[in-house]
Amino acid sequence: MMVGYLIANGLYTFKRYLLDKDFFSILDFLLFSFNLSFAVPIIIHTLNYFPFEKPVYIERKWIIIVPYTIGILNFVALSIVYLFFPTIMIINQAINLSVFVSIGLIAYKFVIFFIFKKKLPKERGNIFLPLKISLLILLASFVYSQISILYFGSPPLFITHLISYIFILLALVYTIGRYNLLDLNLRIRLNIRHSIIIGLWRIFLISILITFILLISTNQYEFPNIHLTKSGIEIIDKPLNPSLQSTYEKLTILILSAIAFFILWKLNKYVKNYLDKRYFKTRFDYRRAANELYDILTSNLSIKDLAIGLVNKLKQQFKLKSVGIIFFRKDEKVCGLEHYGFDDERFMEFCNLWGNDIINNIRSLDRGIRIDYLPQEMKSIFKDIGFRFLIPIKSKGEIIGSLLVGEKLSEESLNQEDIQFLTSIAGQMFIAIENAFLYEDLAIQDRIKHELEIARKIQLASLPNSIPNIEGLDISGISLPALEVGGDFYDFLNGKANEVTVIIGDVSGKGTSAALYMSKVQGIIRTLNEFDHTPKKLLEKTNHLMSKYLEKNFFISAMSAHISIESRSIVMARAGHSPLYYYNSEINSVEKITGKGMVLGLGKNELFDNFLEETRFQFRQGDIFLFITDGIVEARNQNDLEFGEDNLTSLLIDSKSLKASKIRDHIIKSVQDFSGDNNQFDDMTVVVVKVV
């Protein structure tokens, strides 16, 4: 419809004064009249469904009936005038009236919009903005046509109508492509779109300038006859010389044209700056960028902060769609990641899958490369995630990082100057990265040391603060973790004045994890002891609770022994723990008490209960009960020999006359002397109970 209007309007512009009543002249005018009458109603009708349906308009039939009715009346009126009143003046007046009708219909559309604005569906962004602007340009074109005819007496230039309708077509195409409407993918890359808009805008300005020059060149100018004298300026009634009049006219046209050119040049500059900013085409300042990046590189930052600072600054300076940075340790381990332009999970997956391949492919590079030079599989992955360039970061020949750079927001690729700049920056990063590695290592060590010190204090506080004072028993205990914290524990549960329950245990492993489980099982045992359970029942209940919390690769050995002075008996149950070493003073010998039992958390509750057995025997004055963890007998010397049970039993016999605390210290010192300079291999716990 609009193209037909352009053709008809163009033909009619050249033939409007040739009112031949031949077939083609009549067809030209009717085509022109039809398009002039129905172009705006059809546009209004289209906007009821585009870019999406608007039920508030569709349900009210009168909204579209009104413009079509006016269009029909307008077309009929123009046809009657042309066929029955074939004079140029009447036809021109009818056409001018039709243009005013079109202007009124456009205004009608805007009025309808403002009336029902609140009932319209919420827009996605500024989806209607291009269409609104194009309609305003069309309205301006109609107004310009009338001004041109009424005030200058000349018909409007064909190009003004052409531009107004081109804007409508471009607005439709842009809206369809920008919001993926009608299942069409018409998207044009931003840099191409920028060039097209700038080109059309300049054509529009040139057409305005040409139109203005043509308009002022057709006017007649009357200049006063000014004569300069010694005493002043005289205005003479006599007309100017024709040649001088012509010179003044040309000079006036030249000055007005220069003023118009200057105004349009300024307007073009303002619009171009706006479009450059809108399409991210601002000029890049390499010196400023280098200074800002240098400030980040010379700051004492952690790996994470360094990565965040570099990515944010590169994104901001280069106006990038996507950018990422990966740090490597020892040429292979991915240790620091930061990115912009996609979600965390996708980038982490990318780095984990392709980190080593990135190293292998950039090991021999001294500068950045396009991903087109990578192997096909890697190239496809890089393109899919949005990267276009790969820039290595090296230190002493080793790969310690890589910059991953996508295209700019303007959808332009990085030029050679950009790549050289990024390569130069990457060459300066290695010092900052190595400092960040060192800073992070020190921070981790300090944090671990601080946390372990706190954990050690907590663990020591959880061990018995005092030895129970029970007449007839001399008791002592100690626990020495191999690290700052360990998994060994012991406890004295003293419910009555003449009896005590000794608990000793060992959590598999060492360090913080073992200490956490140790604290948990110790708390459970203390709570269950309030119910006055036997040693066997106490371990069974503990296993039922701990099996819910223990991970599969952890288990706990434990022993519970109830010692009664009144009955001179000991009742014990052993859940996979080291045996109880019993010094029998009557025969001056050490026996190993090894009742059946499996470790806590290893098997099902029923299996644990059935396998665990309870042992009871009598004792006499001078007997000694030695509770240990396996760190005592498994301690090794420089020859990789174990301390062993034989040495332990000999020590116990040799120190039988000593107090419990002295026996404890003698065992610990002997083990340490045996180990020599070897580091303590395992946690060591000793509890001595001597009957006095």
Side-chain angles (χ1 to χ4, degrees):
M1 178 67 70
M2 290 182 289
V3 173
Y5 170 72
L6 289 174
I7 296 172
N9 185 49
L11 294 172
Y12 185 68
T13 299
F14 295 103
K15 298 174 67 176
R16 65 170 61 215
Y17 300 110
L18 303 176
L19 299 179
D20 299 330
K21 288 298 175 42
D22 58 75
F23 173 78
F24 289 105
S25 296
I26 295 173
L27 182 62
D28 285 343
F29 186 84
L30 292 178
L31 181 61
F32 167 76
S33 301
F34 182 84
N35 284 278
L36 180 60
S37 302
F38 291 102
V40 175
I42 289 177
I43 291 173
I44 294 174
H45 195 178
T46 301
L47 293 178
N48 289 350
Y49 297 89
F50 183 86
F52 49 80
E53 288 189 2
K54 305 170 189 66
V56 66
Y57 293 159
I58 298 172
E59 292 170 359
R60 294 166 173 79
K61 302 294 185 182
W62 61 268
I63 291 178
I64 195 58
I65 290 175
V66 169
Y68 274 120
T69 302
I70 294 175
I72 292 171
L73 295 175
N74 189 45
F75 176 69
V76 171
L78 282 174
S79 301
I80 292 173
V81 168
Y82 179 73
L83 295 174
F84 298 103
F85 302 95
T87 62
I88 292 176
M89 184 178 68
I90 295 176
I91 291 175
N92 281 339
Q93 289 176 351
I95 292 174
N96 291 337
L97 182 60
S98 295
V99 172
F100 277 115
V101 170
S102 296
I103 294 173
L105 288 176
I106 295 174
Y108 164 82
K109 171 59 183 173
F110 280 100
V111 170
I112 293 296
F113 169 75
F114 284 109
I115 291 175
F116 297 102
K117 183 178 181 180
K118 294 183 179 180
K119 297 181 180 180
L120 290 172
K122 190 175 181 180
E123 294 183 19
R124 288 190 295 163
N126 292 321
I127 190 170
F128 278 116
L129 184 60
L131 297 173
K132 293 174 185 176
I133 293 175
S134 64
L135 285 176
L136 288 174
I137 292 174
L138 180 62
L139 179 62
S141 173
F142 283 138
V143 172
Y144 162 71
S145 298
Q146 295 309 300
I147 293 174
S148 177
I149 293 173
L150 295 177
Y151 293 96
F152 296 101
S154 60
L157 291 177
F158 174 68
I159 193 171
T160 58
H161 296 295
L162 176 63
I163 290 174
S164 64
Y165 281 99
I166 285 177
F167 266 105
I168 292 179
L169 288 172
L170 290 176
L172 290 171
V173 172
Y174 170 81
T175 304
I176 292 172
R178 174 67 176 81
Y179 298 97
N180 296 323
L181 303 174
L182 306 179
D183 295 326
L184 296 175
N185 186 8
L186 302 177
R187 188 178 181 279
I188 303 174
R189 292 179 65 83
L190 287 180
N191 58 328
I192 299 175
R193 202 183 309 170
H194 173 268
S195 300
I196 292 174
I197 293 175
I198 289 292
L200 291 174
W201 169 248
R202 287 174 176 170
I203 291 173
F204 177 71
L205 292 181
I206 291 171
S207 68
I208 291 177
L209 181 62
I210 293 174
T211 302
F212 178 77
I213 293 173
L214 290 176
L215 289 175
I216 63 175
S217 63
T218 57
N219 285 347
Q220 296 293 327
Y221 300 94
E222 295 293 337
F223 297 98
N225 190 351
I226 300 175
H227 181 65
L228 298 176
T229 63
K230 293 181 179 181
S231 58
I233 299 175
E234 294 181 358
I235 299 177
I236 304 173
D237 292 337
K238 183 180 178 181
L240 280 174
N241 184 290
S243 62
L244 191 58
Q245 172 73 20
S246 176
T247 301
Y248 282 174
E249 287 181 353
K250 292 177 181 178
L251 185 60
T252 301
I253 293 172
L254 183 62
I255 292 172
L256 292 176
S257 299
I259 293 173
F261 176 81
F262 178 77
I263 293 173
L264 293 177
W265 176 73
K266 281 289 188 181
L267 181 61
N268 174 68
K269 187 176 180 181
Y270 173 80
V271 172
K272 185 179 183 302
N273 289 338
Y274 169 77
L275 291 174
D276 287 347
K277 186 176 180 181
R278 175 69 176 79
Y279 287 92
F280 311 103
K281 297 280 286 186
T282 52
R283 188 175 180 181
F284 184 68
D285 189 343
Y286 289 99
R287 178 175 295 181
R288 178 184 174 187
N291 290 336
E292 292 180 358
L293 287 169
Y294 179 77
D295 290 340
I296 295 175
L297 295 176
T298 54
S299 302
N300 293 324
L301 300 173
S302 65
I303 286 291
K304 183 68 175 176
D305 292 336
L306 179 63
I308 291 174
L310 290 172
V311 165
N312 287 338
K313 190 58 66 176
L314 290 173
K315 171 200 70 175
Q316 174 187 344
Q317 292 173 341
F318 279 89
K319 301 292 188 296
L320 296 171
K321 273 188 176 182
S322 57
V323 58
I325 188 168
I326 307 175
F327 297 138
F328 304 103
R329 297 201 77 168
K330 297 182 180 178
D331 223 15
E332 58 182 16
K333 182 182 177 184
V334 178
C335 60
L337 308 169
E338 186 57 30
H339 61 89
Y340 167 79
F342 29 80
D343 59 82
D344 294 340
E345 184 176 344
R346 190 179 183 195
F347 187 66
M348 288 294 294
E349 181 182 358
F350 168 81
C351 292
N352 291 333
L353 288 175
W354 297 100
N356 291 333
D357 292 291
I358 291 174
I359 293 176
N360 294 332
N361 281 279
I362 66 177
R363 193 183 301 276
S364 60
L365 298 178
D366 295 322
R367 58 185 179 83
I369 62 167
R370 294 180 182 273
I371 62 169
D372 299 320
Y373 298 101
L374 297 175
Q376 182 60 40
E377 187 178 6
M378 280 193 70
K379 181 170 68 175
S380 301
I381 296 295
F382 271 66
K383 282 187 176 180
D384 180 59
I385 204 170
F387 292 134
R388 295 293 181 269
F389 294 90
L390 189 65
I391 301 169
I393 305 171
K394 289 186 175 183
S395 173
K396 301 175 184 177
E398 291 186 355
I399 300 296
I400 62 172
S402 176
L403 277 177
L404 308 171
V405 183
E407 63 183 5
K408 297 180 180 179
L409 289 173
S410 61
E411 298 188 347
E412 289 180 307
S413 294
L414 299 180
N415 56 41
Q416 192 60 36
E417 196 173 4
D418 295 333
I419 297 298
Q420 290 176 355
F421 176 79
L422 289 174
T423 302
S424 173
I425 292 297
Q428 302 173 32
M429 285 183 185
F430 74 93
I431 297 178
I433 295 173
E434 289 181 343
N435 289 339
F437 284 157
L438 180 60
Y439 174 86
E440 193 164 84
D441 289 343
L442 293 174
I444 291 173
Q445 291 175 10
D446 289 343
R447 184 174 67 251
I448 292 175
K449 185 177 180 180
H450 180 67
E451 290 176 354
L452 289 176
E453 184 62 30
I454 294 174
R456 180 179 177 84
K457 291 179 180 179
I458 294 173
Q459 184 179 16
L460 292 176
S462 67
L463 296 175
N465 294 324
S466 60
I467 301 299
N469 185 15
I470 299 175
E471 187 176 353
L473 294 179
D474 182 14
I475 304 173
S476 182
I478 190 172
S479 182
L480 300 175
L483 303 175
E484 284 81 353
V485 291
D488 283 7
F489 64 94
Y490 71 94
D491 208 349
F492 304 117
L493 306 178
N494 188 17
K496 298 178 182 178
N498 57 355
E499 60 185 36
V500 65
T501 298
V502 178
I503 302 293
I504 189 169
D506 183 3
V507 180
S508 61
K510 298 180 287 292
T512 307
S513 299
L516 290 174
Y517 281 123
M518 179 274 288
S519 299
K520 184 172 291 186
V521 71
Q522 194 173 20
I524 290 174
I525 291 175
R526 285 178 177 176
T527 302
L528 292 174
N529 185 67
E530 297 296 326
F531 297 95
D532 201 21
H533 291 304
T534 64
K536 182 177 186 297
K537 183 60 70 173
L538 181 63
L539 292 180
E540 288 175 352
K541 294 289 186 182
T542 302
N543 180 68
H544 293 178
L545 293 174
M546 284 303 299
S547 60
K548 300 177 182 179
Y549 305 109
L550 275 176
E551 297 179 13
K552 292 182 179 180
N553 56 336
F554 277 92
F555 59 86
I556 301 171
S557 68
M559 182 190 297
S560 173
H562 179 74
I563 303 173
S564 173
I565 291 296
E566 183 177 354
S567 63
R568 291 280 173 166
S569 65
I570 179 171
V571 180
M572 60 156 287
R574 187 178 71 95
H577 195 71
S578 299
L580 170 65
Y581 294 91
Y582 166 52
Y583 170 72
N584 189 332
S585 59
E586 184 178 14
I587 60 175
N588 192 32
S589 177
V590 176
E591 301 176 29
K592 290 195 303 182
I593 311 300
T594 57
K596 290 183 180 180
M598 58 193 303
V599 294
L600 301 171
L602 190 62
K604 295 182 179 180
N605 294 335
E606 184 178 354
L607 178 63
F608 179 90
D609 297 348
N610 293 334
F611 194 72
L612 184 65
E613 68 177 17
E614 203 168 60
T615 303
R616 176 189 295 268
F617 58 93
Q618 300 297 121
F619 59 81
R620 61 189 56 81
Q621 185 177 358
D623 289 355
I624 302 172
F625 302 106
L626 177 61
F627 303 83
I628 66 166
T629 56
D630 55 10
I632 296 294
V633 294
E634 293 178 359
R636 295 180 178 274
N637 62 12
Q638 294 179 344
N639 296 322
D640 201 31
L641 298 176
E642 287 189 350
F643 185 75
E645 291 183 336
D646 292 340
N647 286 332
L648 180 64
T649 55
S650 297
L651 279 174
L652 186 55
I653 293 173
D654 293 343
S655 57
K656 60 187 177 184
S657 60
L658 301 176
K659 291 184 178 181
S661 60
K662 296 294 184 180
I663 297 173
R664 176 202 67 189
D665 295 342
H666 185 49
I667 293 173
I668 293 295
K669 185 176 185 306
S670 298
V671 172
Q672 291 175 340
D673 290 342
F674 175 83
S675 299
D677 294 333
N678 278 10
N679 292 328
Q680 184 179 335
F681 175 74
D682 198 1
D683 305 333
M684 296 191 300
T685 300
V686 175
V687 175
V688 179
V689 179
K690 184 176 182 180
V691 182
V692 295

